[in-house]
Amino acid sequence: MVYVDDLVLIGDLESVQSMKKKLNIRFEMSDLGPLSYFLGIAVALDENGLHLSQEWYAEEILRRFQFSSSHPCSTPLSPDTKLRKESGALLFQYNATLYRSIVGSIMYLMLATRPDLSYAVGAVSQFSSAPSVDHLAALHHILRYIRGSAHLQLHLPRCSAFEATPKATPLTQPHYPKILWDTEIAGYSDSDWAGCLDLRHSTGAYIFLAGQSPVSWSSKKQATVALSSTEAEYMALTQATKEAIWLRFLLSEILDCQYKKLPSITIFADNQGCIALAHNPEYHACTKHIDIQHHFVREKVDGGEVSLEYTTIGVMVADSLTKAPPREKFVQHRASMGIY
């Protein structure tokens, strides 16, 4: 991974050392050893796995916007929060600029290590062009949640995917994990039908886990109106399938193996209708009005690149990425995302 002049290498010890020698021939570089900090993300490796934290960045956000001493909240948004375009008086220009600045700051927190913020950040970012006092109140609620959860970390547990090399000594190379991947990647896809109060668009979301480790997540309002919950779930499944295909390609490059030899990625959905729609061509007669791009899912299922399975709403990890659930359910889902 390269970002401007920062570089992270992943691989077995021999490959990493070989690449560093080649880069040093062309560029003047400093070797900082095993990864400990990258782009505002603190990285720690121990016997339990990797731990990614943005506590310092979160506290910096709170200091910048004067929320360091605010009363903390237990969820990013209250379940009874209903945001719409025309909700309360519009903010003056200064406060509107401040609103956009806060949204931009917490968005990086959400993208890097905090999938639990996905729905809330997506909800308030929709009104950045003309925010109101109600939108600002919701944004302040998110900051108060960050105030009470800045210490949370994204945990990537050690599993059979990693075999540790011998620990470093003063005369040996640094400690790097050796990748022997045999951990299944599974995704969870969900949708909140017609959740947008202005245009009645749905919010689709997905999260992919490698074992118990979250590797990719998204929460986004859908571009078109779904006429049923099945259609909303099916459109969300399209985006999840695209991500699954990308993850398989990425994994094939990391493991240096053929794409077709990798096992299919299982995607869990909590709607039987959308799974039937992906498997049964006769079902399509009732859904011809769905954009052709969404039938991409069935093609990938037939090709064995992804497989679909039903799961109950109670264990649907992506549920809290599509709505603001009650505290108990939110905490349960947050732990399932590897955040604790």
Side-chain angles (χ1 to χ4, degrees):
M1 179 185 294
V2 180
Y3 185 84
V4 190
D5 59 352
D6 292 317
L7 175 67
V8 175
L9 299 176
I10 180 174
D12 58 76
L13 179 58
E14 183 179 352
S15 299
V16 169
Q17 296 295 351
S18 175
M19 178 58 71
K20 287 195 292 187
K21 289 180 181 179
K22 293 177 181 179
L23 290 172
N24 275 315
I25 294 174
R26 293 286 305 273
F27 307 100
E28 182 180 346
M29 303 179 66
S30 297
D31 184 2
L32 301 180
L35 183 63
S36 61
Y37 194 80
F38 186 70
L39 301 180
I41 304 172
V43 182
L45 176 65
D46 59 23
E47 64 276 4
N48 296 317
L50 278 175
H51 312 279
L52 308 182
S53 172
Q54 287 183 289
E55 183 174 4
W56 178 87
Y57 178 76
E59 291 177 348
E60 180 62 27
I61 292 175
L62 296 173
R63 284 193 295 268
R64 179 183 175 189
F65 299 112
Q66 301 179 4
F67 270 77
S68 296
S69 302
S70 61
H71 182 70
C73 293
S74 57
T75 59
L77 284 180
S78 172
D80 57 0
T81 299
K82 304 297 181 182
L83 300 178
R84 56 193 319 158
K85 189 174 182 179
E86 296 180 359
S87 177
L90 295 179
L91 299 176
F92 292 111
Q93 184 59 42
Y94 170 77
N95 288 332
T97 302
L98 179 63
Y99 181 96
R100 288 186 281 269
S101 180
I102 297 175
V103 170
S105 297
I106 62 178
M107 189 169 291
Y108 179 61
L109 191 63
M110 175 269 293
L111 291 172
T113 62
R114 298 292 299 273
D116 55 321
L117 293 171
S118 296
Y119 172 72
V121 173
V124 296
S125 64
Q126 298 175 34
F127 310 103
S128 294
S129 59
S132 71
V133 291
D134 289 349
H135 304 147
L136 184 61
L139 189 56
H140 286 173
H141 193 284
I142 298 175
L143 288 173
R144 290 166 56 200
Y145 170 71
I146 295 174
R147 165 76 172 83
S149 63
H151 63 286
L152 294 179
Q153 300 180 358
L154 191 67
H155 290 255
L156 310 180
R158 186 185 295 278
C159 56
S160 55
F162 295 98
E163 180 184 277
T165 57
K167 291 187 177 181
T169 68
L171 300 178
T172 62
Q173 299 292 345
H175 171 64
Y176 292 96
K178 180 181 179 182
I179 298 178
L180 298 171
W181 196 278
D182 64 356
T183 299
E184 181 182 3
I185 293 181
Y188 292 82
S189 173
D190 197 20
S191 177
D192 179 30
W193 182 39
C196 173
L197 298 179
D198 293 309
L199 300 176
R200 286 304 176 185
H201 288 210
S202 305
T203 298
Y206 62 75
I207 183 168
F208 284 86
L209 306 174
Q212 297 177 331
S213 306
V215 294
S216 179
W217 55 85
S218 173
S219 176
K220 187 177 181 181
K221 188 166 70 174
Q222 295 174 352
T224 58
V225 176
L227 300 183
S228 68
S229 59
T230 294
E231 293 180 23
E233 297 273 2
Y234 192 52
M235 289 190 279
L237 195 57
T238 300
Q239 303 306 317
T241 301
K242 291 179 180 179
E243 186 68 10
I245 300 304
W246 181 84
L247 287 173
R248 288 185 88 229
F249 273 114
L250 177 63
L251 194 55
S252 68
E253 292 186 6
I254 293 175
L255 301 180
D256 193 22
C257 67
Q258 293 184 8
Y259 173 83
K260 293 183 179 180
K261 291 185 177 181
L262 290 175
S264 64
I265 292 181
T266 301
I267 302 177
F268 292 95
D270 59 7
N271 185 288
Q272 297 275 21
C274 93
I275 296 177
L277 184 58
H279 283 288
N280 187 0
E282 296 179 1
Y283 200 81
H284 288 195
C286 301
T287 55
K288 290 182 178 179
H289 55 280
I290 297 180
D291 194 305
I292 194 69
Q293 66 163 323
H294 299 299
H295 296 312
F296 163 84
V297 177
R298 182 169 177 265
E299 178 183 313
K300 298 306 177 183
V301 171
D302 290 343
E305 295 177 68
V306 300
S307 60
L308 306 180
E309 291 190 22
Y310 175 76
T311 188
T312 60
I313 297 177
V315 295
M316 171 49 68
V317 181
D319 184 60
S320 60
L321 274 67
T322 65
K323 61 177 72 72
R327 178 183 178 278
E328 293 76 13
K329 182 179 290 187
F330 174 79
V331 172
Q332 174 190 345
H333 289 163
R334 186 177 67 188
S336 300
M337 295 177 193
I339 304 173
Y340 47 87

